[in-house]
Amino acid sequence: MTSADQLDQLHDRLFAERPNKKGDRFERITALVFAALGEGQARWQVHRGGAGRRAKHRIDVEVERDAGCHRLVVECKHWDEKVGQDVANSVASRRDQLGANEAAIVSTRGFTSGAQDVAAGEGIRLVLVKPLAEDDDWRGVVKRIVMHGTFIAPEIRDFTWLAYAPEDAGRGGPIDPAVLATIDSPEDQLDVLGLDHEDGSRAERLGELLALRSSVPESGEHEQEVVFEEFGISGPRYVTGHRDRVRIRGLRWTERVAVAKSSFTVNPPSPGLLWIEEIVAGADPARRVLMDHQLRPWRFDENGVLMPAPADDAPNG
């Protein structure tokens, strides 16, 4: 897909109506760029005459700020070659005739050294606007997001407690199956069944103790054990089983684990990315990228002023 095709697709995503001329479509995208970058209120295709002159100039894009006190005139060139110095000279003359504060030339291909020399001398801004390509310099821009996930689905069974003292051994054993049967899932079992201190107050929940278990990196069955004193938990804990209240020093269970790994890549939607590069004499280009969330649907009102489009007026896509 060519750069021109990408710009056309981007235009149609952002605007409900589509001019026939590719130059008009690029001018509308340029107006959006200046508006999205916060340069001011952008207007497409303005006709103005200079002071004391009858002839009017067609301005591709005009940007105003400070209640109209500051005016920028923009010349758009959607050409297959670089913009030359003759265009830069013409734009400088037009700016002066119209009494504008600033002038800019926007190109999809770039500028010759002659154009850059004229622009530096005349104070004209040179801006490159194009779709962000795969082989462009993506520094500082999220090119794609790759997510790697490990999903663990444990099934806990044969859950027993470890007796605190020999005399408790005969009273311990598996947690009452009748109690577990009243609870829907293993996660809920671990959350509902809790431990008590000697005075009957609630101690740790079983889910908190299970978090102390050794890691389970592989699928299969794993024998797990948590002995309280090994994890700095002092004193006995009490649990009510199928016989009576029992002092315990730890927990033991069998954990059947299924581990699944997957990767997922998210690519930025194309052509919803625009590369903006402003050529500054004697300095590195000032680079910006406009992402999809910044290129919201817009429309032009009857005066050619760029306005955010109502939600029900936005184009599909």
Side-chain angles (χ1 to χ4, degrees), residues 66-86:
D66 300 331
C69 295
H70 190 281
R71 195 154 51 91
L72 163 68
V73 292
V74 183
E75 180 82 1
C76 303
K77 296 301 182 186
H78 190 358
W79 290 354
D80 294 329
E81 66 272 357
K82 293 183 177 181
V83 174
Q85 67 182 40
D86 56 334

Side-chain angles (χ1 to χ4, degrees), residues 37-59:
L37 292 177
E39 295 259 356
Q41 186 177 67
R43 181 176 296 174
W44 173 51
Q45 292 190 354
V46 180
H47 293 82
R48 291 191 185 278
R53 297 174 183 266
R54 295 179 59 182
K56 290 190 175 182
H57 293 281
R58 178 190 182 276
I59 304 170

Side-chain angles (χ1 to χ4, degrees), residues 23-184:
D24 288 351
R25 296 193 288 273
F26 181 59
E27 290 168 7
R28 290 156 67 90
I29 289 176
T30 298
L32 171 58
V33 166
F34 280 89
L37 292 177
E39 295 259 356
Q41 186 177 67
R43 181 176 296 174
W44 173 51
Q45 292 190 354
V46 180
H47 293 82
R48 291 191 185 278
R53 297 174 183 266
R54 295 179 59 182
K56 290 190 175 182
H57 293 281
R58 178 190 182 276
I59 304 170
D60 295 340
V61 175
E62 183 180 72
V63 183
E64 292 184 344
R65 65 174 182 267
D66 300 331
C69 295
H70 190 281
R71 195 154 51 91
L72 163 68
V73 292
V74 183
E75 180 82 1
C76 303
K77 296 301 182 186
H78 190 358
W79 290 354
D80 294 329
E81 66 272 357
K82 293 183 177 181
V83 174
Q85 67 182 40
D86 56 334
V87 174
N89 281 319
S90 175
V91 169
S93 175
R94 186 178 307 175
R95 174 201 60 195
D96 295 342
Q97 290 181 31
L98 295 173
N101 304 90
E102 284 187 281
I105 306 172
V106 177
S107 168
T108 55
R109 295 285 296 185
F111 308 89
T112 66
S113 59
Q116 294 184 44
D117 289 342
V118 172
E122 296 288 346
I124 298 173
R125 297 170 62 182
L126 301 180
V127 183
L128 176 70
V129 173
K130 66 173 186 174
L132 186 59
E134 184 71 20
D135 57 352
D136 279 325
D137 183 356
W138 285 67
R139 282 177 297 178
V141 181
V142 176
K143 189 171 187 179
R144 61 178 56 90
I145 300 173
V146 180
M147 295 177 286
H148 301 287
T150 300
F151 304 93
I152 302 176
E155 175 189 346
I156 296 173
R157 58 186 179 83
D158 300 333
F159 201 92
T160 62
W161 53 72
L162 303 176
Y164 187 83
E167 60 269 23
D168 296 323
R171 298 157 50 201
I175 293 178
D176 189 348
V179 175
L180 297 181
T182 64
I183 306 170
D184 293 335

